[in-house]
Amino acid sequence: MSTTGAAPAPILTEAELRLLQALIYQECGMHFDERRTHFLQDRLVRRLRERRADSFYAYYRLLISPAGKEELAKLLENLTVNETSFFRHKAQLDLFQKNVLEEVLRHKSARREYSIRVWSAGCSTGQEAYTLAMLVADSLAYYYLRHPVPVEMPLPKPLVPPPWRVEILASDISYAVLRAGQEGAYSEQQMATVDYGYRLRYFDKVGERYAIKKNLKELVHFDFHNLKTEYLPQRNDVIFCRNVMMYFDEAEQKRLIEKFYRCLNPLGYLFVGHAESLLGLTEKFQMVHKDSATAYKRIEVRE
Ligand SMILES: C[S@@+](CC[C@H](N)C(=O)[O-])C[C@H]1O[C@@H](n2cnc3c(N)ncnc32)[C@H](O)[C@@H]1O
């Protein structure tokens, strides 16, 4: 590696591009077709400059060496699209809160299983996971009002009424976004889609930013999970994986859906992005459609 100043931006040859695409696909399932080649080149150039690598091959050798694990993670981090917002796609969240959650709560209380687990897979900077936490907390409080469980209520009244337990798992492949999510402090601009009621109940104003209140934050657990790997978090009642699958090719999408099937509890639900669909990719989920929103319910196969 040279220590000279910024080299002119290298343009990858076909062979180099293919090598890089294959490595990325193998590592995280992201597929870069011709439409995204420019983006890939641009991000690669940034990493080459940062590392002061004088050739693609020197950099590639680093990526595939044991010493290059950290750099590989950095490169992948640079390739992910992290766009997200609070309360993204309202119709789908209504379907989640008014139909899916109600059903899950009914089903669970009939079995005296007072726990709910929701997974935001590909959570970016945490807005989706915290949105889900707010919706679950509100739904549970309302459900509890109608169906109280005779258990002594501690004071001050907790966000989640006992004996219920709520766990929202938020995972991503990028450590940078996981750190931001864990911090849980958002700018006015990021708060644009959060109405006053939610701001008042679930945020504290800290300087210029809105910080997630401690009791809500405690429900959300951030962790690194690469959706390409086989071992993913199990026993979820609901999985949200929105605007992630769109970066995978069809083979990888099918594999991921199969894994999600196994990661869900019986009768669990999967939500994908508004521009994504399970159509033609699986027969193990039943589509549930309401207004302009869709969810996918796990179909139970008889042994
Ligand atoms: C566009 S954001 C979507 C955020 C959120 N789900 C939403 O819809 O608002 C996509 C996220 O998926 C993550 N991602 C991409 N590939 C991944 C993988 N193989 N494993 C885990 N996360 C991945 C990215 O790092 C990024 O934060």
Side-chain angles (χ1 to χ4, degrees):
M1 309 237 166
S2 88
T3 49
T4 52
I11 302 296
L12 296 185
T13 64
E14 266 303 308
E16 290 169 344
L17 193 60
R18 272 203 298 275
L19 257 183
L20 189 64
Q21 282 167 331
L23 179 66
I24 294 162
Y25 184 69
Q26 177 197 314
E27 284 301 317
C28 72
M30 273 194 289
H31 172 65
F32 284 86
D33 59 18
E34 313 78 65
R35 284 168 301 162
R36 302 183 68 221
T37 308
H38 185 74
F39 173 76
L40 179 59
Q41 298 235 26
D42 178 69
R43 296 303 159 99
L44 178 77
V45 168
R46 287 193 204 178
R47 290 312 307 155
L48 287 174
R49 284 211 182 111
E50 179 92 7
R51 296 290 310 191
R52 298 177 189 275
D54 45 23
S55 78
F56 168 78
Y57 285 105
Y59 183 68
Y60 183 79
R61 271 199 303 277
L62 171 71
L63 288 181
I64 58 173
S65 71
K69 284 261 167 281
E70 211 174 294
E71 178 54 33
L72 182 58
K74 277 228 170 73
L75 174 68
L76 297 182
E77 209 161 81
N78 271 265
L79 293 172
T80 56
V81 175
N82 304 122
E83 189 190 326
T84 189
S85 55
F86 284 107
F87 296 94
R88 191 174 190 181
H89 194 205
K90 175 87 168 53
Q92 202 181 37
L93 296 173
D94 281 349
L95 173 61
F96 166 66
Q97 192 179 36
K98 300 198 177 111
N99 301 79
V100 170
L101 257 183
E102 274 288 314
E103 184 184 310
V104 170
L105 293 174
R106 250 193 337 264
H107 178 73
K108 290 245 163 169
S109 34
R111 298 161 61 107
R112 294 177 194 276
E113 262 177 40
Y114 298 109
S115 68
I116 305 158
R117 191 168 142 99
V118 181
W119 176 22
S120 165
C123 64
S124 188
T125 38
Q127 289 91 325
E128 181 176 84
Y130 288 126
T131 299
L132 298 175
M134 290 185 255
L135 296 177
V136 173
D138 281 2
S139 278
L140 195 50
Y142 184 49
Y143 188 84
Y144 190 84
L145 195 73
R146 289 170 290 150
H147 311 279
V149 183
V151 171
E152 204 178 320
M153 179 69 79
L155 288 172
K157 225 163 114 185
L159 189 56
V160 172
W164 285 94
R165 276 175 298 122
V166 171
E167 191 185 354
I168 314 284
L169 171 63
S171 75
D172 206 279
I173 199 179
S174 156
Y175 287 106
V177 297
L178 287 171
R179 275 194 300 274
Q182 221 147 22
E183 196 194 339
Y186 299 94
S187 67
E188 190 68 64
Q189 199 185 353
Q190 288 171 309
M191 292 291 291
T193 48
V194 184
D195 73 23
Y196 291 176
Y198 285 109
R199 288 185 194 211
L200 290 170
R201 272 179 296 139
Y202 293 117
F203 293 84
D204 289 317
K205 190 84 194 296
V206 181
E208 290 298 298
R209 298 173 85 76
Y210 288 84
I212 302 284
K213 275 194 200 286
K214 187 168 172 278
N215 58 359
L216 189 79
K217 214 169 176 187
E218 280 168 356
L219 306 185
V220 184
H221 175 75
F222 286 87
D223 209 349
F224 178 95
H225 285 287
N226 182 351
L227 296 172
K228 173 83 183 185
T229 59
E230 281 307 312
Y231 300 102
L232 294 173
Q234 303 285 311
R235 292 191 297 278
N236 301 284
D237 296 303
V238 183
I239 298 175
F240 273 73
C241 184
R242 302 191 299 170
N243 308 301
V244 181
M245 264 183 10
M246 61 204 285
Y247 301 108
F248 297 177
D249 70 354
E250 194 177 308
E252 200 55 50
Q253 290 180 359
K254 282 185 175 165
R255 277 195 286 274
L256 183 57
I257 294 164
E258 185 61 39
K259 285 186 266 183
F260 281 152
Y261 185 87
R262 285 184 261 123
C263 289
L264 279 169
N265 287 334
L267 305 173
Y269 281 86
L270 171 64
F271 286 82
V272 297
H274 191 44
E276 298 163 330
S277 162
L278 263 56
L279 212 71
L281 298 175
T282 178
E283 297 197 334
K284 291 188 164 176
F285 286 88
Q286 176 199 347
M287 188 166 115
V288 180
H289 196 74
K290 191 160 182 280
D291 300 326
S292 61
T294 304
Y296 296 90
K297 186 174 186 174
R298 209 183 106 123
I299 296 174
E300 301 314 315
V301 274
R302 282 171 212 269
E303 297 289 304

